[in-house]
Structure formats: structure tokens, C-alpha cells
Amino acid sequence: MVKDDWHNPEFALHWDQTALAGNPTRKEQKDLLIFLLEQKLFSNATLLDLGIGSGQIEEKLLARRADITVIGVDASKAMLDLARTWLDPARCQLIQHDIGDTDTLAVPMVQAVIIVQTLHHPPHDKQKAVYRFVHQHLEPGGLFLIMDRIQLPDEALHPVCADMWDWLERKTDHPDGTTGEEFLNKFQHKHDHPAGLEEHLHWLRESGFTTTCLHLALNRALWVGVKV
């Protein structure tokens, strides 16, 4: 398994163009996330995206909501350079910063925060620190949406997970040609730190959020927290 090289412009571009491959539910979950933001953001709201990447979410959202602005944070200059090619700088401020280091990240209070396919990269203690950081920078009643890869269940359930992957591959318009067994094996050598869905919901509650899962398909989920 080749390590993800987010700072390599060629890798960043390849990921941007092939993000749906190997993630059959990404399109549906992304569409749901954008719909929720479109419906729930107040007029002239500011959205904070921790791990904005190439700005795929914002490209669609800003086209639907002409009144909102975005602060996008990402550790990868290569990804931010891609985002700059199609995001209006008057409406989207981009900051190069590693979200694993929230202690030195300076952002204002915002109405909503999203993290998309980014939170599983830092260790679990850093993920919990991100949750606390978001709670501190959300306005009361603010919306926090997380769309990410979660930890696969115990090994006893792997045969069922492999079958579900085969089912997802048959349903998607963007199959990557891997079998269920290959799908399970590829995560054994990934250099990241996915947590279980129950852990994420527990961490959110510890940080002061009311939370639930909105969409779950195998090891991909979209969950939400509201600041109370």
C-alpha cells in the first residue's frame, strides 16, 4: 500500500479526479452534506471546513448559496492550490495548517463546521482535541458535520463486510474492481487512525455536543453534532 502523499501535486490531482473510486457511498453522503448545509446555514453565515482539500464541497455549496463565506483549512499546499483554481477568493479564505495542531489554529466563531475525509488521519487524542476546538469556535446551536471513514468492526464480522463491499461495488457507477477480501486487506497497512462510530459519538458528547449518525454504509459515515 503506497502511503498517501497529500503534499505531492500529482497525488493531489489524481485523488481529486478519482475520489469516488473505492468509496461507493461518497457521492450520496457528499450530496446529503451539501443539502444539509444549504438548508441549515443562516443568511451571511461563515462555514469553517477543517480539511478543505480541493474544495469540492464548497464549489457546489457556494454556487447554491451566494450569501455565505468559507474559511478552509488544510495542511496540503497542493490541495489548497487546486482549491484556488475554482473557489472565489472573495468568498473563501484558505489557510495552510495541520488540523492535528489545533492549539495554534486561529479562526473566528462560526455558525457551522465540516470535516470531510480528514479526521481519521491524526491519532485519537488529536481527534478529540479537534472536537473540543470545534465546540469552542461554534456559535450556540451551531452545526458540526463529519463525513469520514470509520474503523471496521471486529474480525468475526469481516466475511459479512466483504459481502457488503461486493454489493456496493455492483451498485456504484464508479467501481474500482476490488473484491471484498481486497477491500478488507488494504486497510491493514494504511498510515491513519480511524475510530469506531460509537467512539466518535462518545467524544462529541464529552465535548458538549448533541449528536447522532445520519448516514452509515459499511466503513463510511456521516454524523452530526449540534452545540448545546
Side-chain angles (χ1 to χ4, degrees):
M1 174 66 65
V2 177
K3 187 178 186 299
D4 295 339
D5 187 2
W6 300 106
H7 300 284
N8 182 328
E10 292 184 1
F11 178 89
L13 180 61
H14 175 75
W15 181 91
D16 183 68
Q17 294 174 343
T18 62
L20 295 179
N23 188 349
T25 56
R26 174 178 169 82
K27 183 181 184 302
E28 184 173 7
Q29 290 182 347
K30 186 172 73 169
D31 287 349
L32 172 57
L33 184 146
I34 293 170
F35 174 80
L36 293 171
L37 292 172
E38 182 184 6
Q39 297 299 311
K40 297 302 180 185
L41 287 175
F42 295 146
S43 297
N44 303 309
T46 297
L47 168 70
L48 173 63
D49 187 341
L50 297 174
I52 189 171
S54 59
Q56 291 185 0
I57 300 293
E58 286 70 22
E59 182 184 17
K60 292 188 175 181
L61 178 63
L62 294 177
R64 301 180 188 181
R65 288 289 304 270
D67 59 307
I68 67 172
T69 56
V70 173
I71 300 171
V73 179
D74 204 283
S76 167
K77 179 180 181 298
M79 297 300 283
L80 292 176
D81 286 344
L82 284 176
R84 290 187 181 96
T85 62
W86 46 65
L87 295 180
D88 182 357
R91 299 181 61 195
C92 190
Q93 176 189 0
L94 298 177
I95 302 171
Q96 185 176 357
H97 193 96
D98 187 345
I99 69 162
D101 180 19
T102 52
D103 290 340
T104 59
L105 178 58
V107 296
M109 296 289 288
V110 295
Q111 193 216 334
V113 179
I114 62 173
I115 300 180
V116 177
Q117 290 191 194
T118 301
L119 193 58
H120 65 275
H121 292 302
H124 290 184
D125 61 328
K126 299 293 185 180
Q127 295 182 35
K128 290 188 280 188
V130 168
Y131 283 160
R132 294 191 295 269
F133 173 87
V134 171
H135 191 269
Q136 293 166 2
H137 290 82
L138 264 181
E139 299 171 1
L143 185 68
F144 183 22
L145 289 164
I146 308 100
M147 175 181 151
D148 212 330
R149 179 162 65 85
I150 58 174
Q151 187 177 32
L152 285 163
D154 293 339
E155 188 173 351
L157 292 170
H158 283 191
V160 178
C161 292
D163 288 341
M164 182 173 179
W165 174 260
D166 292 335
W167 178 76
L168 288 170
E169 273 280 279
R170 288 199 295 269
K171 285 172 58 68
T172 184
D173 294 330
H174 302 275
D176 72 350
T178 59
T179 66
E181 289 299 323
E182 291 169 336
F183 160 77
L184 292 170
N185 290 334
K186 74 177 182 179
F187 292 114
Q188 295 180 7
H189 307 291
K190 294 284 286 185
H191 298 270
D192 49 26
H193 308 274
L197 179 60
E198 293 84 359
E199 289 179 287
H200 281 295
L201 300 182
H202 176 68
W203 296 341
L204 281 168
R205 294 186 184 103
E206 279 189 331
S207 301
F209 290 96
T210 294
T211 182
T212 192
C213 180
L214 299 175
H215 190 292
L216 173 63
L218 197 52
N219 68 331
R220 303 283 180 170
L222 172 62
W223 59 103
V224 61
V226 173
K227 181 175 178 177
V228 294

